[in-house]
Amino acid sequence: MTVLPNLSEHYSDPKTYPPGVAFMDGQYLPISEAKISVLDYGLLHSDATYDVVHVWNGAFFRLENHLDRFFAGLEKLHMSIEYDREQVIEILHNCVALSGLKNSYVEFICTRGMSPTFSRDPRDAVNQFIAFAIPFGSVANQEQMKHGLHAAISSFVRIPPNSVDPTVKNYHWLDLVRGLYEAYDRGADTAILVDTNGNVSEGPGFNIFAVIDGRVLTPKLGVLLGVTRQTVFDICTNLDNDCSAVDIPQDQLLVADEVFISSTAGGIMPVTKVNGQYIGDGSPGQITSQITESYWDMHNEKNNKFVIKYLDEK
Ligand code: PLP
């Protein structure tokens, strides 16, 4: 294993940064020192792919699924990194171990990078791999987890899949951020974007589910195939609930019995109001609560391979 620097004393700048550790240019750094070039096309063109996995109680959750998605994305974008899968696992592990965080949000990124001649030909750029571990973060705060989020269905359309492949996790977020500001103006907490046919798509950092007549439904097309979304399918299979990927017209969401969102950043989160109207009786629904409970129970089924060895435990 690589010799790790001792970053525990100064792994962040508490005034401007969360605690955390990054890996870039082959080195582990305090998060406050991890900076990319202004000439990196990851910044200039949003030309990048990434993934986020979380660590809960000192163990990665579904790391294999996140790695599968990341490496598939690299291939689709004609990118390559100098680390293989096992080396990426070791880097992610080290970032978390160095940070000492038991619950962590772990992001790994490949940017197109830059070329010494500032060539506009993407094939000339040297792709760059970056990873970091910071404290676990959630789309919903504690209050929203308990009582549910208020979501506004946006008038903006999520960037269509024939423009940007949504199965490659990406930083094309201007539509999502635009949706957020529109939602705040309407007094909501977050936004639900629609697709070009007016069906529900996804929101800023999450997939969307509606429970209608006992069936758990989620949009089929034009969305990131979320790892948490897949976990919901798996949970529904275990619970004998019907879960299907279908088109969901936006009007159906307003009359759904339950609505929830899913993300690595927060897990399963209830939505109890859409466009100012209560969903069901206005409190998190029974199926949502069951799925949430199963989701967190699954975190105790430890896959030993992905339990973090923290530096103070060695
Ligand atoms: N959709 C978008 C646009 C996202 O950015 C995310 C996560 O960041 C998701 C869905 C949920 O994906 P996952 O469950 O893999 O975190």
Side-chain angles (χ1 to χ4, degrees), residues 191-203:
I192 290 175
L193 269 67
V194 292
D195 67 17
T196 42
N197 297 319
N199 296 317
V200 172
S201 69
E202 58 187 348

Side-chain angles (χ1 to χ4, degrees), residues 50 66 69 158 169 173 176 202-203 205-207 224 226-229 262-264:
Y50 74 110
H66 291 280
R69 187 170 64 185
R158 181 70 173 129
K169 196 165 158 69
W173 268 57
L176 297 169
E202 58 187 348
F206 54 82
N207 289 115
L224 177 72
V227 172
T228 323
R229 176 182 183 270
S262 70
S263 173
T264 297

